[in-house]
Amino acid sequence: MTGLLPIFILLTSLVPTAITFFLPQESYRLRNALNLGGAIAKVALIVTMLFSVAGGASYETDMALAPGLVLLLRIDALALLFVSLSASLWLLTTIYAIAYLGKKPEQSRFFGFFSLCVFATTGIALSGSLISFFIFFELLTLSTWPLVAHKQDAASLEAGRTYLLYALPCSTVLLVAIVWLESATGPILFTEPPDLSGIDPAGLRVIFALFIIGVGMKAAIVPLHGWLPSAMVAPAPVSALLHAVAVVKAGAFGVIRVVYDVFGVDRVAELGVGIPLAVMASVTIIWGSLRALQQTEIKKRLAYSTVSQVSYIILGAALASPFAVIGGLAHLVHQGLMKIVLFFCAGIYDERAGIRSIEGLNGLGRWMPWTSICFSLGALGMIGLPPIAGFVSKIYLGIGGLQAEAPWVLAVLGVSTLLNAAYFLPLVYRLWYCEAAPDVEVDENAPALVGPTVAAALAAVAAGLLAASEISPLGWATLIAERDYLQ
Amino acid sequence: MSALVAVLVAPLIGALAAVALPGRSGRIATWVAIVATLAAAIMLAASVISQGMPRLAVGSWEPPVGIVLEADGLSIAMIVMTALVLTAAGLTARHMLAGDTKGPRIAFGFWPLMLLLWAALNAVFLSRDLFNLYVGIELLSLSAIGLVAIEGKPAALTAAIRYMFFALAGSLLYLAGVVLIYAAHGALDIGLLATRLPAGTDPFALALMTVGLMAKTALFPFHVWLPPAHGGAPAPASAMLSALVPKASFVILLRLWFDVMPDQATDAVLVLMAALGTAAVLWGSLVALVQTRLKLIVAYSTVAQIGYLFLVFPLAGGTSVDQPWAAGAWNGAVFLALSHGLAKAAMFLAVGQWVHVRGSDRLDEMKGLAKAMPMSAFAFALSSITIVGLPPSGGFTAKYLVMTSAFAAGQWAWALVMACGGLMAAAYLYRPMAVIFGRADLSASRLPSRSQQAVPLALAGVAIVLGIASAEPFETLAIGRPQAAEEGL
């Protein structure tokens, strides 16, 4: 029974996918019920597991493909961190998406691929072997394309093309890395550190670089980030999916797996590849912020902000000192919560007020108070204002930098915080302190859009306020770090 | 044993009946033959898996006098794949030919030729005699050429004649090799030849046969006949030609180099074969990228995919033959042949339905088809996944196996060829995907029904399943190959 749990969790997204594709456009009720039901069932399953995994349990199920290809699904603490983030945000996004899409066309295709994306993300989280990770990683690549190109106009198709243009070469690089490594070690399972002695250090460094290119593209590491801002043409729920629930998270999660479970912290240090990775992450953090400053469209600015923020996770993973590990892992959740709030809000501004550019935000706080409060909370959290979640991540990363004897990390965090303030504060200022344009008349009477936004914002605040408790993202990250990586 | 005979005899009788019986009864006979052959293929596979390899000395004459039919893992894998593809092609052809004004005339030739092609393919997969293989492959070429020319269009006729030139030249070279071998050893049975004492003429004979078979497999630079022939034939015919016909001559090549004369396999020759394969991958993909007709894109993709198959020779033959990675490379190549067969047939059938609706296979005519025909569009997408080699699909399993072998053998270049080939395939298949996904109002009146669209979708689905449930097919392929049974890496 317990061995089947990973499969049940996957089925909560796969069953809605399989049925939704065949539903006619008019079956709104059945489709919504299926997708919401799947999302709720998944959250429920995960909540029940949280307790047993906290007590030290893990669930496992495997299936042999051809020799060398082992499909292993495993629920451990790290898997659960990612899967509970993506599952709870999936639930919120589903509610939001149902309201956002209203009666727009092609909903069966949209929700079908949407659930497929979540299925793939769950698979990535639960993968216990390198090859199952790759299989789900690629499934995610493919199922995201129809969502990015969903509107089927020239701009969307172009964005979809850009996405594949980045994704497919990088996944080829990832495959080469996996094949190269596994040709020497046999199938790699995340539970047992592989014996890498068959490959010389120079070769291992190259393989590590190939791995980082392969998974780093999804995490939008500079210079592999170009697809993310251009994917902004997609509908708002898709942006939420790309930025918070699934895609960039899968990339960051991949980096964590590669550093900790494929190579191992010691080997990474021995090869001397951790610091270069940290430097890359730092460059991405600064570059993303600088580019965000130059954007005049809300969603574009948010997109570059993601480029910058996701690399905090990678920075933490690369530094590999105790506090950095914990901060990076916690930021996986924190960034997701805050970013989904911001994108939900951007979607509401667009949908309910037709506002996409930053100037349009002037004075909206009065007209759309709920949305604007959430947006402000998300933005302040991103800057790192206590007690919102982002603050906790930054503190931990900073201390982690000192522990790893890389004090320059403090400078990176400092500059980044200043830049964050520089590109987020003007938005908040405009919302509350600028005069609204005279013709603005909007209302935010859309509970199904605002509700999930408020819930996510509350979660982001709670993650910061309750950081000391065991069940907070930080508490869970500490548990993972103590259990698996810091013996 | 009876299934072994039935997979050969049922399609032959069906072909005769389809010609001899008039009208409705001819059609019924055709479908009885199709169903019977499909059932026989599945029964044969089941009996090989459960009871081991059946062997039949025709007329009870043992070699060297008589000829032997034998089904091993490779045979039944190819026979089952063939049965699935041909049944699907038949189901699609039934609707497509019915709506055509020239229908009756084309149908008169189509069904007998298809059944002859089926018999010939099964004969090639089962024969253990070099001359018998020649007969099989000759019958195969002739029925294939007939199918190319069946609509009687001038372009198709030209393509058929060019095909015939290559096919006949290939046959002659192969036959010359057979004669040399018979002169030197007095035997043509593969089992006997495997234990022969090498003769001075062996290298020359093997070279002649290999070049002849390469021409029939359409390996670069002998591929020039393939795109016009496969692009010009009616879609169900293209599906069979692209998915199955090159595989038959490839299987003979496998048997020649791994069973008959493994001793002749020097590294230089094997590398040359893989180099030609590499050229095929690169050239086929590049040319597919610039085509403006959809069927030609799919046809050039076949040229490229055939190239991959030849990477098996240096990785599993010659000095690699008893290395741990040989099994992976050999199985990977066969997996590739199987999944390409299924996916390419699905692709041609889906494209055929679009061409039937739009009246042309120009790429810009395909706009909006994803909305009008979602299931066949999905079939095209799934087969693209297999052709590109993305997980989870048979194509991916194959690619993983071959690439790991290449790295383990220290022959990285072949792994990079696969990686680049996959990327180029993604590029040339993305173009049609993006076009059909584009928005356009298609008020076309007669769209194929859902059940018709389900046919290519089912084939493409099998290619995907081959990647998910790959353990059993993998074990099956090891039947009759002691060295492959060892788990390699």
Side-chain angles (χ1 to χ4, degrees):
Chain A
M1 164 63 201
T2 50
L4 291 177
L5 265 175
I7 296 183
F8 281 139
I9 292 197
L10 282 173
L11 285 180
T12 54
S13 328
L14 189 60
V15 171
T17 305
I19 302 176
T20 305
F21 274 126
F22 294 97
L23 292 180
Q25 166 76 8
E26 301 78 41
S27 322
Y28 290 99
R29 265 200 208 153
L30 179 55
R31 189 170 46 231
N32 295 348
L34 265 173
N35 284 280
L36 278 176
I40 292 170
K42 182 180 252 172
V43 172
L45 273 175
I46 285 165
V47 170
T48 56
M49 269 187 311
L50 275 173
F51 293 99
S52 53
V53 170
S58 66
Y59 304 94
E60 209 173 274
T61 177
D62 64 350
M63 175 179 150
L65 305 178
L69 293 162
V70 183
L71 199 62
L72 175 69
L73 297 174
R74 189 167 181 282
I75 303 179
D76 56 10
L78 176 59
L80 210 50
L81 177 83
F82 186 25
V83 89
S84 42
L85 169 79
S86 86
S88 39
L89 295 189
W90 180 40
L91 178 58
L92 294 181
T93 312
T94 306
I95 301 171
Y96 184 93
I98 288 170
Y100 185 91
L101 290 176
K103 304 279 174 198
K104 287 178 194 147
E106 298 288 3
Q107 291 204 9
S108 287
R109 190 185 70 208
F110 181 89
F111 280 105
F113 280 111
F114 199 82
S115 305
L116 192 60
C117 270
V118 177
F119 167 71
T121 311
T122 313
I124 292 171
L126 301 190
S127 287
S129 69
L130 195 49
I131 206 70
S132 24
F133 175 85
F134 181 74
I135 289 175
F136 286 111
F137 203 70
E138 284 318 289
L139 188 62
L140 180 62
T141 307
L142 295 177
S143 50
T144 315
W145 179 70
L147 293 173
V148 172
H150 179 72
K151 290 181 191 159
Q152 285 174 282
D153 49 21
S156 302
L157 284 173
E158 177 63 29
R161 204 176 71 98
T162 312
Y163 174 64
L164 288 183
L165 216 52
Y166 278 88
L168 291 177
C170 289
S171 70
T172 307
V173 170
L174 180 59
L175 179 63
V176 170
I178 292 175
V179 163
W180 187 350
L181 199 60
E182 293 200 341
S183 70
T185 63
I188 291 176
L189 307 181
F190 294 149
T191 38
E192 8 184 314
D195 173 23
L196 301 180
S197 53
I199 306 177
D200 59 285
L204 280 177
R205 283 193 197 101
V206 175
I207 295 178
F208 186 83
L210 295 178
F211 264 112
I212 294 302
I213 293 172
V215 291
M217 169 265 156
K218 282 221 174 48
I221 294 182
V222 172
L224 302 172
H225 65 290
W227 59 275
L228 189 58
S230 81
M232 285 295 76
V233 293
V238 176
S239 303
L241 184 90
L242 290 175
H243 290 259
V245 186
V247 180
V248 297
K249 281 303 147 62
F253 185 77
V255 174
I256 294 174
R257 281 290 191 207
V258 168
V259 172
Y260 294 140
D261 291 327
V262 177
F263 284 80
V265 178
D266 296 337
R267 178 80 63 169
V268 167
E270 205 176 290
L271 293 172
V273 286
I275 293 301
L277 180 60
V279 170
M280 262 182 89
S282 305
V283 169
T284 306
I285 291 173
I286 305 289
W287 178 251
S289 301
L290 286 173
R291 293 285 290 151
L293 263 179
Q294 300 163 357
Q295 307 304 318
T296 53
E297 240 179 274
I298 304 171
K299 282 177 94 182
K300 276 255 166 94
R301 186 169 284 202
L302 293 180
Y304 277 106
S305 144
T306 303
V307 171
S308 161
Q309 292 277 338
V310 169
S311 273
Y312 279 35
I313 307 168
I314 295 165
L315 181 63
L319 290 173
S321 65
F323 270 70
V325 172
I326 297 170
L329 289 173
H331 200 60
L332 188 82
V333 178
H334 292 163
Q335 188 271 347
L337 291 173
M338 297 184 294
K339 195 40 75 62
I340 207 165
V341 171
L342 292 171
F343 270 108
F344 279 169
C345 293
I348 297 175
Y349 288 135
D350 184 4
E351 196 61 16
R352 305 294 299 182
I355 286 165
R356 284 179 199 158
S357 74
I358 286 164
E359 287 95 56
L361 290 177
N362 286 0
L364 274 187
R366 235 180 73 210
W367 297 97
M368 304 174 87
W370 288 100
T371 313
S372 302
I373 289 173
C374 291
F375 190 89
S376 308
L377 281 176
L380 294 175
M382 283 291 182
I383 298 169
L385 194 79
I388 308 165
F391 164 72
V392 182
S393 322
K394 285 192 183 176
I395 288 288
Y396 267 72
L397 284 173
I399 300 175
L402 292 178
Q403 281 181 332
E405 290 166 9
W408 50 269
V409 169
L410 288 183
V412 171
L413 290 173
V415 172
S416 160
T417 302
L418 285 178
L419 287 169
N420 290 344
Y423 65 77
F424 271 132
L425 283 182
L427 273 61
V428 178
Y429 179 81
R430 279 175 192 275
L431 279 174
W432 301 105
Y433 295 100
C434 283
E435 275 301 309
D439 54 340
V440 164
E441 198 151 329
V442 292
D443 73 301
E444 57 176 350
N445 186 15
L449 293 178
V450 177
T453 315
V454 173
L458 286 177
V461 176
L465 273 180
L466 306 175
S469 86
E470 271 175 31
I471 52 152
S472 71
L474 187 78
W476 196 260
T478 315
L479 176 99
I480 298 170
E482 282 171 354
R483 193 178 283 173
D484 292 332
Y485 305 122
L486 301 173
Q487 281 100 6
Chain B
M1 185 68 83
S2 51
L4 185 69
V5 179
V7 291
L8 297 174
V9 175
L12 277 179
I13 294 179
L16 286 178
V19 177
L21 297 176
R24 202 177 141 72
S25 47
R27 279 204 300 281
I28 293 172
T30 305
W31 278 98
V32 169
I34 290 176
V35 173
T37 317
L38 174 66
I42 292 169
M43 277 163 55
L44 178 63
S47 89
V48 170
I49 292 168
S50 60
Q51 295 159 19
M53 300 193 289
R55 183 172 183 279
L56 173 71
V58 178
S60 301
W61 291 92
E62 283 293 328
V65 181
I67 56 173
V68 165
L69 300 174
E70 193 175 45
D72 60 0
L74 174 62
S75 319
I76 57 167
M78 300 305 286
I79 285 173
V80 169
M81 188 268 279
T82 302
L84 293 176
V85 166
L86 285 177
T87 308
L91 285 172
T92 308
R94 202 162 67 98
H95 291 280
M96 252 178 227
L97 298 183
D100 206 309
T101 44
K102 283 188 273 175
R105 197 173 67 82
I106 294 176
F108 182 74
F110 181 85
W111 298 107
L113 284 173
M114 171 182 151
L115 288 164
L116 275 183
L117 185 93
W118 200 340
L121 283 163
N122 286 348
V124 169
F125 298 140
L126 291 173
S127 294
R128 287 294 178 280
D129 178 280
L130 292 183
F131 185 74
N132 205 17
L133 283 170
Y134 166 75
V135 175
I137 199 138
E138 198 60 14
L139 180 62
L140 182 66
S141 296
L142 291 177
S143 37
I145 292 164
L147 283 168
V148 171
I150 199 162
E151 283 183 328
K153 291 180 196 156
L157 284 178
T158 319
I161 289 171
R162 197 189 316 191
Y163 183 9
M164 187 150 76
F165 170 74
F166 275 89
L168 288 183
S171 299
L172 281 178
L173 289 173
Y174 179 84
L175 192 60
V178 171
V179 169
L180 283 177
I181 287 181
Y182 193 67
H185 305 288
L188 292 171
D189 180 75
I190 290 179
L192 288 178
L193 287 173
T195 56
R196 82 204 192 285
L197 294 169
T201 51
D202 282 355
F204 187 51
L206 188 60
L208 286 175
M209 293 164 93
T210 303
V211 172
L213 291 169
M214 280 175 172
K216 283 179 180 281
T217 316
L219 179 68
F220 183 92
F222 307 114
H223 65 284
V224 288
W225 61 267
L226 186 144
H230 292 189
S238 310
M240 314 173 197
L241 297 177
S242 240
L244 305 172
V245 178
K247 308 293 156 55
S249 35
F250 176 71
V251 165
I252 303 181
L253 277 171
L254 280 183
R255 298 220 188 273
L256 279 181
W257 286 88
F258 290 97
D259 298 341
V260 181
M261 296 186 175
D263 49 298
Q264 296 295 331
T266 59
D267 281 349
V269 175
L270 297 176
V271 166
L272 176 68
M273 287 165 84
L276 289 179
T278 304
V281 171
L282 300 177
W283 180 251
S285 307
L286 274 178
V287 181
L289 263 174
V290 297
Q291 296 305 309
T292 51
R293 282 180 50 206
L294 186 48
K295 281 179 87 174
L296 282 179
I297 295 180
V298 183
Y300 273 105
S301 148
T302 301
V303 172
Q305 295 278 319
I306 286 169
Y308 287 138
L309 300 177
F310 284 81
L311 301 183
V312 68
F313 291 103
L315 289 174
T319 47
S320 290
V321 79
D322 21 272
Q323 299 292 339
W325 56 80
W330 193 88
N331 283 305
V334 178
F335 248 75
L336 206 56
L338 294 173
S339 48
H340 170 253
L342 294 163
K344 188 49 65 70
M347 209 173 236
F348 260 121
L349 293 182
V351 169
Q353 293 179 340
W354 303 341
V355 175
H356 199 61
V357 168
R358 304 294 293 152
S360 149
D361 73 335
R362 284 172 36 133
L363 206 50
D364 43 15
E365 291 281 327
M366 300 292 158
K367 227 175 169 192
L369 277 166
K371 178 148 180 65
M373 296 164 68
M375 282 169 78
S376 57
F378 200 52
F380 189 89
L382 284 186
S383 14
S384 302
I385 289 175
T386 300
I387 303 270
V388 176
L390 292 169
S393 70
F396 168 70
T397 310
K399 221 170 178 177
Y400 177 86
L401 291 171
V402 177
M403 285 175 77
T404 5
S405 301
F407 272 106
Q411 307 182 24
W412 304 6
W414 310 131
L416 296 182
V417 169
M418 291 220 111
C420 293
L423 270 183
M424 290 166 85
Y428 65 69
L429 289 172
Y430 172 77
R431 289 172 62 222
M433 273 310 294
V435 173
I436 62 167
F437 199 66
R439 195 171 281 184
D441 189 31
L442 284 189
S443 41
S445 48
R446 11 160 242 172
L447 292 172
S449 67
R450 276 196 165 207
S451 58
Q452 281 167 263
Q453 293 184 44
V455 173
L457 186 57
L459 267 190
V462 177
I464 298 285
V465 168
L466 201 55
I468 298 168
S470 46
E472 289 77 18
F474 203 98
E475 278 167 28
T476 309
L477 283 182
I479 298 174
R481 280 189 60 80
Q483 67 270 46
E486 290 166 31
E487 193 170 307
L489 292 163

